[in-house]
Amino acid sequence: MRPIQMVDLTTQYERIQTPMDKAVLEVIHSGKYINGDAVQAFTNELSEYINVKYVIPCANGTDALQLAMMALDLQPGDEVIVPAFTYVATAEAAALLKLTPVLVDVDPRTFNINVDKIEEAITPQTKAIVPVHLFGQTADMEPLMQIARKHGLYVIEDNAQSIGSVYTFSDGTKKQAGTIGDIGTLSFFPTKNLGGYGDGGALLTNNEALARKLKMIAAHGQSQKYTHEMIGCNSRLDTLQAAILRTKLPQLPSYMEARQKTAEKYDAGLKSLPDLLEIPYCLPYSTHVYHQYTLKVKPEQRAGLQSYLKEKGIPAMIYYPLPLHHQPAFKNIVRIGNDLSETENLCKSVLSLPMHTELDDEQTQFIISQIRNYE
Ligand SMILES: *Cc1c(COP(=O)(O)O)cnc(C)c1O
């Protein structure tokens, strides 16, 4: 059996080595390392794949969040509602712009923002909601958009983890995660479901004026060369990363399927261990693209199970061990929108198993059998 890794990017590369090497060498030979042809080509192909009018490439997923908040003219002191259980970048982008992240508790079944708890956290200062589509499923966007419209709030979807996930509205309409709110953000960090070989990110929007502004802000606020309309940043997806992502994009459906197949096996093998753990809950309104396969383990058993698995050569990770409101950098600047006990509980119980496109049946069955043998 091959050693089990949390992610296995080199084996994935070996399977597409010929077209990948060609794409990378082409860029090197072209000499156009910034804004080369692959950037526009990737942008066009991604907008078609995701079914969104405008894709604005940028340097990483954290920048994407910051650019979105800048383009919406959020001002120091404005409040931005974010889930308390998320990666730090969601709140960090807001904090950098001197906005106040307001933490709302999550639904313990889905790990996503609890939409029923958003309204009680809204104040006259609230300007935006930033749902995070965590671990591979979309937040409950239909009622979330209704709340946003009712209170005149912008919606930025942090879709770093759930590219390709599809949300179904109550009338049957389907939309890709990241294309429902005003702006969606993506990360192409190597371990994300569509990952480059370095940093990368993008913004998604169907609003032409916002698209133009986002593009300008990402390029030093420049409307034309050396005319700067507004204060912007330097946030680009470089040509090499675009060429790499372009080569991987056609594989995304098969990558998603590989993750879903592995998840099915995990589900079947682990669902009958209620004294130890709970398998992920699958939502009726969202497909699951399994950025992570995250168990909820009895808190008193988690450390033991994790170190037992480590002894067996099985890595398992805790995403996320410390909620934002306990982080040294954030505890004094966030506002706690409501009781965060579900977030607190999740931080004590979550455990993510190896999940990637190259996990084979032998490895998956080994992981399952070792967990089943755990006393
Ligand atoms: C990865 C991630 C980001 C940040 O993306 P980078 O490309 O690493 O800057 C933001 N939000 C979430 C939820 C993420 O998982």
PDB file of all heavy atoms in Angstrom, residues 59-65 85-92 132-135 158-162 185-192 198-202 291 320, ligand 1:
ATOM      1  N   ALA A  59      -4.403  37.373  -6.702  1.00  0.00           N
ATOM      2  CA  ALA A  59      -3.212  36.656  -6.215  1.00  0.00           C
ATOM      3  C   ALA A  59      -3.518  35.492  -5.272  1.00  0.00           C
ATOM      4  O   ALA A  59      -2.743  34.541  -5.196  1.00  0.00           O
ATOM      5  CB  ALA A  59      -2.268  37.648  -5.527  1.00  0.00           C
ATOM      6  N   ASN A  60      -4.608  35.558  -4.550  1.00  0.00           N
ATOM      7  CA  ASN A  60      -4.946  34.472  -3.605  1.00  0.00           C
ATOM      8  C   ASN A  60      -6.360  34.695  -3.075  1.00  0.00           C
ATOM      9  O   ASN A  60      -6.959  35.749  -3.316  1.00  0.00           O
ATOM     10  CB  ASN A  60      -3.920  34.399  -2.447  1.00  0.00           C
ATOM     11  CG  ASN A  60      -3.806  35.713  -1.704  1.00  0.00           C
ATOM     12  OD1 ASN A  60      -4.739  36.144  -1.036  1.00  0.00           O
ATOM     13  ND2 ASN A  60      -2.670  36.389  -1.851  1.00  0.00           N
ATOM     14  N   GLY A  61      -6.851  33.736  -2.343  1.00  0.00           N
ATOM     15  CA  GLY A  61      -8.226  33.813  -1.852  1.00  0.00           C
ATOM     16  C   GLY A  61      -8.438  34.855  -0.772  1.00  0.00           C
ATOM     17  O   GLY A  61      -9.545  35.379  -0.610  1.00  0.00           O
ATOM     18  N   THR A  62      -7.393  35.162  -0.027  1.00  0.00           N
ATOM     19  CA  THR A  62      -7.503  36.189   1.010  1.00  0.00           C
ATOM     20  C   THR A  62      -7.615  37.566   0.357  1.00  0.00           C
ATOM     21  O   THR A  62      -8.450  38.392   0.747  1.00  0.00           O
ATOM     22  CB  THR A  62      -6.283  36.133   1.952  1.00  0.00           C
ATOM     23  OG1 THR A  62      -6.115  34.787   2.397  1.00  0.00           O
ATOM     24  CG2 THR A  62      -6.463  37.039   3.143  1.00  0.00           C
ATOM     25  N   ASP A  63      -6.781  37.803  -0.660  1.00  0.00           N
ATOM     26  CA  ASP A  63      -6.890  39.050  -1.426  1.00  0.00           C
ATOM     27  C   ASP A  63      -8.274  39.175  -2.042  1.00  0.00           C
ATOM     28  O   ASP A  63      -8.849  40.262  -2.082  1.00  0.00           O
ATOM     29  CB  ASP A  63      -5.866  39.063  -2.571  1.00  0.00           C
ATOM     30  CG  ASP A  63      -4.534  39.671  -2.157  1.00  0.00           C
ATOM     31  OD1 ASP A  63      -4.301  39.814  -0.943  1.00  0.00           O
ATOM     32  OD2 ASP A  63      -3.721  39.986  -3.055  1.00  0.00           O
ATOM     33  N   ALA A  64      -8.793  38.067  -2.555  1.00  0.00           N
ATOM     34  CA  ALA A  64     -10.108  38.111  -3.205  1.00  0.00           C
ATOM     35  C   ALA A  64     -11.146  38.677  -2.239  1.00  0.00           C
ATOM     36  O   ALA A  64     -11.965  39.529  -2.610  1.00  0.00           O
ATOM     37  CB  ALA A  64     -10.508  36.727  -3.691  1.00  0.00           C
ATOM     38  N   LEU A  65     -11.102  38.226  -0.983  1.00  0.00           N
ATOM     39  CA  LEU A  65     -12.051  38.729   0.015  1.00  0.00           C
ATOM     40  C   LEU A  65     -11.846  40.225   0.250  1.00  0.00           C
ATOM     41  O   LEU A  65     -12.798  40.999   0.326  1.00  0.00           O
ATOM     42  CB  LEU A  65     -11.876  37.962   1.334  1.00  0.00           C
ATOM     43  CG  LEU A  65     -12.395  36.523   1.322  1.00  0.00           C
ATOM     44  CD1 LEU A  65     -11.764  35.705   2.440  1.00  0.00           C
ATOM     45  CD2 LEU A  65     -13.918  36.506   1.450  1.00  0.00           C
ATOM     46  N   PHE A  85     -17.130  29.870  12.820  1.00  0.00           N
ATOM     47  CA  PHE A  85     -16.338  28.677  12.544  1.00  0.00           C
ATOM     48  C   PHE A  85     -15.882  28.743  11.090  1.00  0.00           C
ATOM     49  O   PHE A  85     -16.620  28.398  10.168  1.00  0.00           O
ATOM     50  CB  PHE A  85     -17.202  27.428  12.789  1.00  0.00           C
ATOM     51  CG  PHE A  85     -16.451  26.122  12.703  1.00  0.00           C
ATOM     52  CD1 PHE A  85     -15.494  25.778  13.658  1.00  0.00           C
ATOM     53  CD2 PHE A  85     -16.706  25.228  11.675  1.00  0.00           C
ATOM     54  CE1 PHE A  85     -14.810  24.571  13.581  1.00  0.00           C
ATOM     55  CE2 PHE A  85     -16.032  24.016  11.599  1.00  0.00           C
ATOM     56  CZ  PHE A  85     -15.086  23.689  12.549  1.00  0.00           C
ATOM     57  N   THR A  86     -14.671  29.257  10.868  1.00  0.00           N
ATOM     58  CA  THR A  86     -14.140  29.391   9.502  1.00  0.00           C
ATOM     59  C   THR A  86     -12.635  29.538   9.576  1.00  0.00           C
ATOM     60  O   THR A  86     -12.058  29.699  10.660  1.00  0.00           O
ATOM     61  CB  THR A  86     -14.746  30.615   8.778  1.00  0.00           C
ATOM     62  OG1 THR A  86     -14.180  30.725   7.459  1.00  0.00           O
ATOM     63  CG2 THR A  86     -14.472  31.918   9.510  1.00  0.00           C
ATOM     64  N   TYR A  87     -12.015  29.518   8.403  1.00  0.00           N
ATOM     65  CA  TYR A  87     -10.600  29.845   8.320  1.00  0.00           C
ATOM     66  C   TYR A  87     -10.439  31.337   8.594  1.00  0.00           C
ATOM     67  O   TYR A  87     -11.331  32.134   8.289  1.00  0.00           O
ATOM     68  CB  TYR A  87     -10.059  29.470   6.926  1.00  0.00           C
ATOM     69  CG  TYR A  87      -8.597  29.739   6.777  1.00  0.00           C
ATOM     70  CD1 TYR A  87      -7.676  29.134   7.628  1.00  0.00           C
ATOM     71  CD2 TYR A  87      -8.127  30.614   5.812  1.00  0.00           C
ATOM     72  CE1 TYR A  87      -6.327  29.398   7.517  1.00  0.00           C
ATOM     73  CE2 TYR A  87      -6.773  30.877   5.687  1.00  0.00           C
ATOM     74  CZ  TYR A  87      -5.875  30.269   6.542  1.00  0.00           C
ATOM     75  OH  TYR A  87      -4.538  30.532   6.424  1.00  0.00           O
ATOM     76  N   VAL A  88      -9.300  31.698   9.164  1.00  0.00           N
ATOM     77  CA  VAL A  88      -9.087  33.064   9.634  1.00  0.00           C
ATOM     78  C   VAL A  88      -9.241  34.136   8.540  1.00  0.00           C
ATOM     79  O   VAL A  88      -9.641  35.271   8.815  1.00  0.00           O
ATOM     80  CB  VAL A  88      -7.687  33.179  10.297  1.00  0.00           C
ATOM     81  CG1 VAL A  88      -6.567  32.931   9.285  1.00  0.00           C
ATOM     82  CG2 VAL A  88      -7.497  34.509  10.974  1.00  0.00           C
ATOM     83  N   ALA A  89      -8.964  33.766   7.276  1.00  0.00           N
ATOM     84  CA  ALA A  89      -8.927  34.768   6.193  1.00  0.00           C
ATOM     85  C   ALA A  89     -10.234  35.546   6.064  1.00  0.00           C
ATOM     86  O   ALA A  89     -10.217  36.740   5.736  1.00  0.00           O
ATOM     87  CB  ALA A  89      -8.605  34.087   4.865  1.00  0.00           C
ATOM     88  N   THR A  90     -11.358  34.894   6.317  1.00  0.00           N
ATOM     89  CA  THR A  90     -12.657  35.540   6.140  1.00  0.00           C
ATOM     90  C   THR A  90     -12.758  36.798   7.003  1.00  0.00           C
ATOM     91  O   THR A  90     -13.151  37.871   6.529  1.00  0.00           O
ATOM     92  CB  THR A  90     -13.798  34.556   6.513  1.00  0.00           C
ATOM     93  OG1 THR A  90     -13.470  33.253   6.051  1.00  0.00           O
ATOM     94  CG2 THR A  90     -15.112  34.989   5.919  1.00  0.00           C
ATOM     95  N   ALA A  91     -12.364  36.671   8.263  1.00  0.00           N
ATOM     96  CA  ALA A  91     -12.442  37.816   9.178  1.00  0.00           C
ATOM     97  C   ALA A  91     -11.229  38.734   9.026  1.00  0.00           C
ATOM     98  O   ALA A  91     -11.316  39.943   9.255  1.00  0.00           O
ATOM     99  CB  ALA A  91     -12.540  37.318  10.622  1.00  0.00           C
ATOM    100  N   GLU A  92     -10.114  38.149   8.634  1.00  0.00           N
ATOM    101  CA  GLU A  92      -8.871  38.926   8.506  1.00  0.00           C
ATOM    102  C   GLU A  92      -9.001  40.026   7.453  1.00  0.00           C
ATOM    103  O   GLU A  92      -8.570  41.165   7.665  1.00  0.00           O
ATOM    104  CB  GLU A  92      -7.735  37.976   8.127  1.00  0.00           C
ATOM    105  CG  GLU A  92      -6.374  38.601   8.090  1.00  0.00           C
ATOM    106  CD  GLU A  92      -5.353  37.565   7.675  1.00  0.00           C
ATOM    107  OE1 GLU A  92      -5.601  36.786   6.717  1.00  0.00           O
ATOM    108  OE2 GLU A  92      -4.293  37.510   8.304  1.00  0.00           O
ATOM    109  N   VAL A 132     -19.541  31.429   4.370  1.00  0.00           N
ATOM    110  CA  VAL A 132     -18.423  30.601   3.908  1.00  0.00           C
ATOM    111  C   VAL A 132     -19.008  29.237   3.555  1.00  0.00           C
ATOM    112  O   VAL A 132     -19.747  28.658   4.355  1.00  0.00           O
ATOM    113  CB  VAL A 132     -17.366  30.451   5.016  1.00  0.00           C
ATOM    114  CG1 VAL A 132     -16.199  29.586   4.539  1.00  0.00           C
ATOM    115  CG2 VAL A 132     -16.867  31.813   5.465  1.00  0.00           C
ATOM    116  N   HIS A 133     -18.720  28.760   2.378  1.00  0.00           N
ATOM    117  CA  HIS A 133     -19.186  27.427   1.981  1.00  0.00           C
ATOM    118  C   HIS A 133     -18.121  26.431   2.445  1.00  0.00           C
ATOM    119  O   HIS A 133     -17.186  26.106   1.714  1.00  0.00           O
ATOM    120  CB  HIS A 133     -19.415  27.361   0.476  1.00  0.00           C
ATOM    121  CG  HIS A 133     -20.341  28.427  -0.039  1.00  0.00           C
ATOM    122  ND1 HIS A 133     -21.542  28.722   0.578  1.00  0.00           N
ATOM    123  CD2 HIS A 133     -20.249  29.265  -1.091  1.00  0.00           C
ATOM    124  CE1 HIS A 133     -22.141  29.706  -0.098  1.00  0.00           C
ATOM    125  NE2 HIS A 133     -21.369  30.043  -1.105  1.00  0.00           N
ATOM    126  N   LEU A 134     -18.285  25.983   3.690  1.00  0.00           N
ATOM    127  CA  LEU A 134     -17.189  25.266   4.337  1.00  0.00           C
ATOM    128  C   LEU A 134     -17.171  23.781   3.995  1.00  0.00           C
ATOM    129  O   LEU A 134     -18.228  23.138   3.963  1.00  0.00           O
ATOM    130  CB  LEU A 134     -17.302  25.448   5.860  1.00  0.00           C
ATOM    131  CG  LEU A 134     -15.982  25.323   6.631  1.00  0.00           C
ATOM    132  CD1 LEU A 134     -15.058  26.492   6.349  1.00  0.00           C
ATOM    133  CD2 LEU A 134     -16.236  25.205   8.124  1.00  0.00           C
ATOM    134  N   PHE A 135     -15.992  23.267   3.767  1.00  0.00           N
ATOM    135  CA  PHE A 135     -15.705  21.832   3.595  1.00  0.00           C
ATOM    136  C   PHE A 135     -16.300  21.207   2.331  1.00  0.00           C
ATOM    137  O   PHE A 135     -16.105  20.033   2.072  1.00  0.00           O
ATOM    138  CB  PHE A 135     -16.168  21.006   4.816  1.00  0.00           C
ATOM    139  CG  PHE A 135     -15.491  21.372   6.117  1.00  0.00           C
ATOM    140  CD1 PHE A 135     -16.110  21.083   7.331  1.00  0.00           C
ATOM    141  CD2 PHE A 135     -14.250  21.980   6.142  1.00  0.00           C
ATOM    142  CE1 PHE A 135     -15.491  21.400   8.551  1.00  0.00           C
ATOM    143  CE2 PHE A 135     -13.617  22.310   7.351  1.00  0.00           C
ATOM    144  CZ  PHE A 135     -14.241  22.015   8.550  1.00  0.00           C
ATOM    145  N   ASP A 158     -17.637  33.429   0.443  1.00  0.00           N
ATOM    146  CA  ASP A 158     -16.273  32.897   0.518  1.00  0.00           C
ATOM    147  C   ASP A 158     -16.338  31.442   0.044  1.00  0.00           C
ATOM    148  O   ASP A 158     -16.707  30.538   0.792  1.00  0.00           O
ATOM    149  CB  ASP A 158     -15.742  32.995   1.952  1.00  0.00           C
ATOM    150  CG  ASP A 158     -14.315  32.462   2.081  1.00  0.00           C
ATOM    151  OD1 ASP A 158     -13.838  31.782   1.144  1.00  0.00           O
ATOM    152  OD2 ASP A 158     -13.676  32.708   3.122  1.00  0.00           O
ATOM    153  N   ASN A 159     -15.977  31.269  -1.231  1.00  0.00           N
ATOM    154  CA  ASN A 159     -16.103  29.944  -1.842  1.00  0.00           C
ATOM    155  C   ASN A 159     -14.735  29.292  -2.070  1.00  0.00           C
ATOM    156  O   ASN A 159     -14.530  28.557  -3.026  1.00  0.00           O
ATOM    157  CB  ASN A 159     -16.880  30.056  -3.160  1.00  0.00           C
ATOM    158  CG  ASN A 159     -17.313  28.703  -3.662  1.00  0.00           C
ATOM    159  OD1 ASN A 159     -17.546  27.789  -2.871  1.00  0.00           O
ATOM    160  ND2 ASN A 159     -17.409  28.545  -4.965  1.00  0.00           N
ATOM    161  N   ALA A 160     -13.801  29.582  -1.160  1.00  0.00           N
ATOM    162  CA  ALA A 160     -12.454  29.008  -1.293  1.00  0.00           C
ATOM    163  C   ALA A 160     -12.480  27.482  -1.270  1.00  0.00           C
ATOM    164  O   ALA A 160     -11.634  26.833  -1.870  1.00  0.00           O
ATOM    165  CB  ALA A 160     -11.561  29.536  -0.167  1.00  0.00           C
ATOM    166  N   GLN A 161     -13.477  26.906  -0.584  1.00  0.00           N
ATOM    167  CA  GLN A 161     -13.450  25.459  -0.367  1.00  0.00           C
ATOM    168  C   GLN A 161     -14.457  24.677  -1.203  1.00  0.00           C
ATOM    169  O   GLN A 161     -14.433  23.448  -1.172  1.00  0.00           O
ATOM    170  CB  GLN A 161     -13.701  25.160   1.130  1.00  0.00           C
ATOM    171  CG  GLN A 161     -12.638  25.769   2.029  1.00  0.00           C
ATOM    172  CD  GLN A 161     -12.695  25.253   3.459  1.00  0.00           C
ATOM    173  OE1 GLN A 161     -13.496  24.390   3.793  1.00  0.00           O
ATOM    174  NE2 GLN A 161     -11.825  25.788   4.303  1.00  0.00           N
ATOM    175  N   SER A 162     -15.353  25.338  -1.893  1.00  0.00           N
ATOM    176  CA  SER A 162     -16.464  24.570  -2.479  1.00  0.00           C
ATOM    177  C   SER A 162     -16.700  24.844  -3.956  1.00  0.00           C
ATOM    178  O   SER A 162     -17.832  24.786  -4.425  1.00  0.00           O
ATOM    179  CB  SER A 162     -17.740  24.823  -1.672  1.00  0.00           C
ATOM    180  OG  SER A 162     -17.550  24.392  -0.339  1.00  0.00           O
ATOM    181  N   THR A 185     -15.815  34.539  -3.970  1.00  0.00           N
ATOM    182  CA  THR A 185     -14.352  34.497  -4.013  1.00  0.00           C
ATOM    183  C   THR A 185     -13.873  33.047  -4.086  1.00  0.00           C
ATOM    184  O   THR A 185     -14.499  32.144  -3.540  1.00  0.00           O
ATOM    185  CB  THR A 185     -13.733  35.165  -2.765  1.00  0.00           C
ATOM    186  OG1 THR A 185     -14.094  34.405  -1.603  1.00  0.00           O
ATOM    187  CG2 THR A 185     -14.213  36.594  -2.604  1.00  0.00           C
ATOM    188  N   LEU A 186     -12.741  32.860  -4.768  1.00  0.00           N
ATOM    189  CA  LEU A 186     -12.136  31.533  -4.896  1.00  0.00           C
ATOM    190  C   LEU A 186     -10.680  31.596  -4.483  1.00  0.00           C
ATOM    191  O   LEU A 186     -10.030  32.632  -4.618  1.00  0.00           O
ATOM    192  CB  LEU A 186     -12.182  31.054  -6.352  1.00  0.00           C
ATOM    193  CG  LEU A 186     -13.531  30.761  -6.988  1.00  0.00           C
ATOM    194  CD1 LEU A 186     -13.325  30.406  -8.462  1.00  0.00           C
ATOM    195  CD2 LEU A 186     -14.238  29.622  -6.264  1.00  0.00           C
ATOM    196  N   SER A 187     -10.172  30.477  -4.009  1.00  0.00           N
ATOM    197  CA  SER A 187      -8.737  30.319  -3.753  1.00  0.00           C
ATOM    198  C   SER A 187      -8.240  29.148  -4.572  1.00  0.00           C
ATOM    199  O   SER A 187      -8.920  28.119  -4.668  1.00  0.00           O
ATOM    200  CB  SER A 187      -8.501  30.030  -2.269  1.00  0.00           C
ATOM    201  OG  SER A 187      -7.187  29.516  -2.082  1.00  0.00           O
ATOM    202  N   PHE A 188      -7.055  29.321  -5.157  1.00  0.00           N
ATOM    203  CA  PHE A 188      -6.419  28.208  -5.865  1.00  0.00           C
ATOM    204  C   PHE A 188      -5.180  27.728  -5.113  1.00  0.00           C
ATOM    205  O   PHE A 188      -4.224  27.238  -5.719  1.00  0.00           O
ATOM    206  CB  PHE A 188      -6.063  28.617  -7.309  1.00  0.00           C
ATOM    207  CG  PHE A 188      -7.227  29.160  -8.080  1.00  0.00           C
ATOM    208  CD1 PHE A 188      -7.192  30.444  -8.610  1.00  0.00           C
ATOM    209  CD2 PHE A 188      -8.371  28.397  -8.265  1.00  0.00           C
ATOM    210  CE1 PHE A 188      -8.268  30.964  -9.318  1.00  0.00           C
ATOM    211  CE2 PHE A 188      -9.467  28.907  -8.958  1.00  0.00           C
ATOM    212  CZ  PHE A 188      -9.411  30.193  -9.491  1.00  0.00           C
ATOM    213  N   PHE A 189      -5.164  27.904  -3.804  1.00  0.00           N
ATOM    214  CA  PHE A 189      -4.114  27.335  -2.952  1.00  0.00           C
ATOM    215  C   PHE A 189      -3.964  25.859  -3.346  1.00  0.00           C
ATOM    216  O   PHE A 189      -4.967  25.200  -3.668  1.00  0.00           O
ATOM    217  CB  PHE A 189      -4.551  27.488  -1.491  1.00  0.00           C
ATOM    218  CG  PHE A 189      -3.504  27.063  -0.494  1.00  0.00           C
ATOM    219  CD1 PHE A 189      -2.466  27.912  -0.138  1.00  0.00           C
ATOM    220  CD2 PHE A 189      -3.562  25.801   0.085  1.00  0.00           C
ATOM    221  CE1 PHE A 189      -1.507  27.515   0.779  1.00  0.00           C
ATOM    222  CE2 PHE A 189      -2.597  25.393   0.997  1.00  0.00           C
ATOM    223  CZ  PHE A 189      -1.566  26.257   1.348  1.00  0.00           C
ATOM    224  N   PRO A 190      -2.726  25.333  -3.360  1.00  0.00           N
ATOM    225  CA  PRO A 190      -2.519  23.989  -3.918  1.00  0.00           C
ATOM    226  C   PRO A 190      -3.444  22.890  -3.394  1.00  0.00           C
ATOM    227  O   PRO A 190      -3.797  21.980  -4.148  1.00  0.00           O
ATOM    228  CB  PRO A 190      -1.059  23.695  -3.559  1.00  0.00           C
ATOM    229  CG  PRO A 190      -0.416  25.047  -3.524  1.00  0.00           C
ATOM    230  CD  PRO A 190      -1.464  25.982  -2.998  1.00  0.00           C
ATOM    231  N   THR A 191      -3.844  22.964  -2.131  1.00  0.00           N
ATOM    232  CA  THR A 191      -4.676  21.870  -1.597  1.00  0.00           C
ATOM    233  C   THR A 191      -6.178  22.090  -1.807  1.00  0.00           C
ATOM    234  O   THR A 191      -6.973  21.230  -1.438  1.00  0.00           O
ATOM    235  CB  THR A 191      -4.433  21.679  -0.085  1.00  0.00           C
ATOM    236  OG1 THR A 191      -4.756  22.907   0.572  1.00  0.00           O
ATOM    237  CG2 THR A 191      -2.995  21.294   0.205  1.00  0.00           C
ATOM    238  N   LYS A 192      -6.562  23.214  -2.379  1.00  0.00           N
ATOM    239  CA  LYS A 192      -8.002  23.422  -2.629  1.00  0.00           C
ATOM    240  C   LYS A 192      -8.460  22.491  -3.758  1.00  0.00           C
ATOM    241  O   LYS A 192      -7.645  21.922  -4.467  1.00  0.00           O
ATOM    242  CB  LYS A 192      -8.268  24.894  -2.974  1.00  0.00           C
ATOM    243  CG  LYS A 192      -7.854  25.860  -1.860  1.00  0.00           C
ATOM    244  CD  LYS A 192      -8.825  25.890  -0.688  1.00  0.00           C
ATOM    245  CE  LYS A 192      -8.189  26.299   0.604  1.00  0.00           C
ATOM    246  NZ  LYS A 192      -8.299  27.692   0.964  1.00  0.00           N
ATOM    247  N   GLY A 198       1.088  26.924  -6.463  1.00  0.00           N
ATOM    248  CA  GLY A 198       1.474  28.155  -5.771  1.00  0.00           C
ATOM    249  C   GLY A 198       0.180  28.846  -5.399  1.00  0.00           C
ATOM    250  O   GLY A 198      -0.874  28.216  -5.383  1.00  0.00           O
ATOM    251  N   ASP A 199       0.269  30.157  -5.126  1.00  0.00           N
ATOM    252  CA  ASP A 199      -0.939  30.886  -4.737  1.00  0.00           C
ATOM    253  C   ASP A 199      -1.729  31.363  -5.947  1.00  0.00           C
ATOM    254  O   ASP A 199      -1.171  31.601  -7.017  1.00  0.00           O
ATOM    255  CB  ASP A 199      -0.553  32.098  -3.879  1.00  0.00           C
ATOM    256  CG  ASP A 199      -0.285  31.716  -2.430  1.00  0.00           C
ATOM    257  OD1 ASP A 199      -1.153  31.038  -1.844  1.00  0.00           O
ATOM    258  OD2 ASP A 199       0.777  32.071  -1.897  1.00  0.00           O
ATOM    259  N   GLY A 200      -3.015  31.539  -5.746  1.00  0.00           N
ATOM    260  CA  GLY A 200      -3.873  32.094  -6.784  1.00  0.00           C
ATOM    261  C   GLY A 200      -5.266  32.286  -6.231  1.00  0.00           C
ATOM    262  O   GLY A 200      -5.637  31.686  -5.215  1.00  0.00           O
ATOM    263  N   GLY A 201      -6.043  33.141  -6.873  1.00  0.00           N
ATOM    264  CA  GLY A 201      -7.416  33.366  -6.434  1.00  0.00           C
ATOM    265  C   GLY A 201      -8.211  34.017  -7.540  1.00  0.00           C
ATOM    266  O   GLY A 201      -7.673  34.355  -8.602  1.00  0.00           O
ATOM    267  N   ALA A 202      -9.510  34.170  -7.301  1.00  0.00           N
ATOM    268  CA  ALA A 202     -10.363  34.827  -8.295  1.00  0.00           C
ATOM    269  C   ALA A 202     -11.623  35.345  -7.624  1.00  0.00           C
ATOM    270  O   ALA A 202     -11.994  34.901  -6.533  1.00  0.00           O
ATOM    271  CB  ALA A 202     -10.731  33.866  -9.421  1.00  0.00           C
ATOM    272  N   HIS A 291     -14.327  19.095   0.035  1.00  0.00           N
ATOM    273  CA  HIS A 291     -12.991  19.667   0.245  1.00  0.00           C
ATOM    274  C   HIS A 291     -12.365  18.963   1.447  1.00  0.00           C
ATOM    275  O   HIS A 291     -11.200  18.605   1.438  1.00  0.00           O
ATOM    276  CB  HIS A 291     -13.087  21.171   0.466  1.00  0.00           C
ATOM    277  CG  HIS A 291     -11.757  21.777   0.794  1.00  0.00           C
ATOM    278  ND1 HIS A 291     -10.691  21.691  -0.075  1.00  0.00           N
ATOM    279  CD2 HIS A 291     -11.299  22.426   1.880  1.00  0.00           C
ATOM    280  CE1 HIS A 291      -9.637  22.272   0.477  1.00  0.00           C
ATOM    281  NE2 HIS A 291      -9.985  22.724   1.663  1.00  0.00           N
ATOM    282  N   TYR A 320     -11.298  23.496  12.612  1.00  0.00           N
ATOM    283  CA  TYR A 320     -10.278  24.397  13.101  1.00  0.00           C
ATOM    284  C   TYR A 320     -10.261  24.258  14.614  1.00  0.00           C
ATOM    285  O   TYR A 320     -11.332  24.216  15.225  1.00  0.00           O
ATOM    286  CB  TYR A 320     -10.603  25.823  12.664  1.00  0.00           C
ATOM    287  CG  TYR A 320     -10.656  25.904  11.134  1.00  0.00           C
ATOM    288  CD1 TYR A 320     -11.854  25.795  10.446  1.00  0.00           C
ATOM    289  CD2 TYR A 320      -9.474  26.037  10.396  1.00  0.00           C
ATOM    290  CE1 TYR A 320     -11.876  25.818   9.047  1.00  0.00           C
ATOM    291  CE2 TYR A 320      -9.502  26.082   9.002  1.00  0.00           C
ATOM    292  CZ  TYR A 320     -10.703  25.962   8.351  1.00  0.00           C
ATOM    293  OH  TYR A 320     -10.731  25.977   6.980  1.00  0.00           O
TER     294      TYR A 320
HETATM  295  C1  LIG B   1      -8.079  28.832   1.849  1.00  0.00           C
HETATM  296  C2  LIG B   1      -9.131  29.738   2.339  1.00  0.00           C
HETATM  297  C3  LIG B   1      -9.057  31.125   2.176  1.00  0.00           C
HETATM  298  C4  LIG B   1      -7.828  31.839   1.730  1.00  0.00           C
HETATM  299  O1  LIG B   1      -7.279  31.464   0.531  1.00  0.00           O
HETATM  300  P1  LIG B   1      -5.734  31.761   0.227  1.00  0.00           P
HETATM  301  O2  LIG B   1      -5.659  31.528  -1.241  1.00  0.00           O
HETATM  302  O3  LIG B   1      -4.919  30.808   1.029  1.00  0.00           O
HETATM  303  O4  LIG B   1      -5.461  33.182   0.581  1.00  0.00           O
HETATM  304  C5  LIG B   1     -10.136  31.908   2.560  1.00  0.00           C
HETATM  305  N1  LIG B   1     -11.237  31.351   3.088  1.00  0.00           N
HETATM  306  C6  LIG B   1     -11.350  30.026   3.271  1.00  0.00           C
HETATM  307  C7  LIG B   1     -12.604  29.468   3.859  1.00  0.00           C
HETATM  308  C8  LIG B   1     -10.298  29.173   2.920  1.00  0.00           C
HETATM  309  O5  LIG B   1     -10.424  27.861   3.123  1.00  0.00           O
END
